[in-house]
């Protein structure tokens, strides 16, 4: 009898999965036929709203009906919980496992006891990065892993090379970002800069500065020292 009941349960589960697979297949087929950009859909999943499906292409979130006949992009709000479900989803997708960061391709700046950890992707010619660096001097007891991320043109690559190849990388960086002292010409293996750009493309780092905290959360833009401090505290919370 137990065996028969198990077979019956498995049968019911299989039956319930068929419509879900059929709907996903229909969504993929219809959207890819109408829009070439949807030829490679990464994920299709149900949302809490009846009849509405999430379609993910990379880090872009769209919504559609059960057949993929209608498409919209925007924020899905949970009114009762007062949550922006789309924003939460994108934040989750954007998380980076800190332990998997290629720290060998960054240099360290240690302040105070250095117990807290923060990774930052920055372009040396980014004005927002310079403002952020001035503010970051007010944050203590942190180790900053600085990933040079030259995305603003050839001069950014040249400055990043000179900083990366300097005998004292943190000094060369701080001299330029805080004191506007141009880094001296230097040459060395700069494969790390290419790897940083490849890593950024993979994890959708589209602007500088981009901050990544020990709990995987991240913040784009020149946030204030107070905001950095709050996120460092949150990253340590259990």
């Amino acid at each position: 009898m137990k065996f028969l009941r198990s077979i019956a349960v498995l049968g019911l589960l299989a039956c319930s999965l068929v419509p879900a697979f059929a709907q996903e297949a229909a969504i993929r087929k219809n959207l890819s036929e109408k829009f070439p950009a949807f030829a490679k859909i990464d994920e299709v999943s149900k949302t809490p709203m009846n009849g509405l499906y999430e379609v993910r292409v990379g880090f872009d979130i769209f919504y559609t009906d059960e057949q993929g006949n209608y498409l919209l992009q925007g924020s899905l709000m949970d009114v009762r919980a007062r949550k922006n479900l789309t924003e939460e989803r994108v934040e989750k997708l954007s998380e980076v496992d800190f332990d998997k960061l290629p720290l060998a391709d960054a240099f360290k700046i240690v302040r105070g006891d250095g117990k807290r950890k923060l990774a930052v992707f920055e372009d040396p010619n980014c004005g927002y990065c310079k403002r952020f660096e001035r503010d970051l001097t007010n944050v203590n007891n942190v180790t900053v892993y600085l990933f040079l991320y030259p995305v603003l043109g050839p001069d950014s690559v040249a400055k990043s090379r000179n900083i990366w190849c300097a005998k004292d990388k943190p000094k060369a960086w701080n001299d330029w970002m805080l004191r506007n002292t141009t880094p001296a010409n230097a040459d060395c293996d700069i494969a790390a800069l290419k790897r940083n750009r490849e890593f950024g493309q993979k994890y959708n780092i589209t602007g500088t500065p981009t901050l990544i905290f020990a709990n995987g959360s991240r913040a784009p833009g020149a946030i204030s020292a107070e905001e950095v401090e709050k996120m460092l505290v949150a990253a340590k919370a259990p």
Side-chain angles (χ1 to χ4, degrees):
M1 288 298 292
K2 281 187 178 180
F3 175 75
L4 291 175
R5 281 199 298 269
S6 297
I7 292 293
V9 169
L10 288 172
L12 287 171
L13 284 172
C15 290
S16 67
L17 288 173
V18 170
F21 285 127
Q23 286 163 353
E24 179 175 339
I27 289 169
R28 288 179 180 273
K29 179 177 181 295
N30 289 341
L31 289 179
S32 63
E33 285 177 351
K34 295 177 177 66
F35 301 103
F38 286 86
K40 292 185 178 179
I41 294 172
D42 292 298
E43 189 178 359
V44 176
S45 56
K46 292 187 73 173
T47 72
M49 182 175 173
N50 289 336
L52 189 69
Y53 286 75
E54 176 198 289
V55 178
R56 181 175 69 82
V57 181
F59 288 85
D60 294 323
I61 301 295
F62 303 87
Y63 298 101
T64 189
D65 63 293
E66 295 176 350
Q67 295 297 316
N69 291 322
Y70 298 91
L71 186 70
L72 62 90
Q73 186 175 26
S75 292
L76 179 63
M77 308 293 294
D78 183 332
V79 177
R80 289 176 297 180
R82 296 186 178 182
K83 289 182 179 179
N84 185 326
L85 299 181
T86 307
E87 188 177 89
E88 286 187 357
R89 180 78 166 117
V90 172
E91 285 178 358
K92 189 68 178 175
L93 288 171
S94 299
E95 288 183 356
V96 178
D97 186 342
F98 201 95
D99 292 334
K100 292 182 180 179
L101 283 169
L103 300 182
D105 292 335
F107 58 88
K108 292 192 296 184
I109 298 173
V110 181
R111 296 196 173 98
D113 61 27
K115 287 183 178 179
R116 301 182 297 179
K117 296 186 294 185
L118 170 65
V120 188
F121 286 74
E122 297 190 67
D123 185 303
N125 283 332
C126 162
Y128 291 108
C129 296
K130 285 197 168 189
R131 189 180 78 188
F132 167 74
E133 284 293 331
R134 288 193 295 270
D135 234 19
L136 191 60
T137 59
N138 296 311
V139 178
N140 201 14
N141 298 328
V142 64
T143 295
V144 178
Y145 294 90
L146 202 296
F147 288 85
L148 291 165
Y149 195 58
V151 292
L152 297 178
D155 187 62
S156 292
V157 175
K159 282 194 175 73
S160 294
R161 180 198 65 222
N162 293 337
I163 292 167
W164 181 251
C165 297
K167 289 183 179 179
D168 188 338
K169 295 177 179 63
K171 183 179 185 304
W173 172 257
N174 287 328
D175 281 349
W176 168 242
M177 299 301 280
L178 302 177
R179 292 175 280 277
N180 212 35
T181 301
T182 304
N185 290 333
D187 283 303
C188 68
D189 182 356
I190 58 169
L193 304 185
K194 180 183 177 183
R195 290 194 294 268
N196 289 348
R197 289 194 297 270
E198 290 171 347
F199 183 90
Q201 289 167 1
K202 180 180 179 180
Y203 287 96
N204 198 37
I205 297 175
T206 57
T208 56
T210 292
L211 291 66
I212 299 174
F213 295 84
N215 63 349
S217 64
R218 75 186 201 181
I223 63 176
S224 67
E226 290 77 12
E227 290 172 297
V228 172
E229 188 64 43
K230 286 178 183 177
M231 294 191 77
L232 284 170
V233 171
K236 287 186 66 178

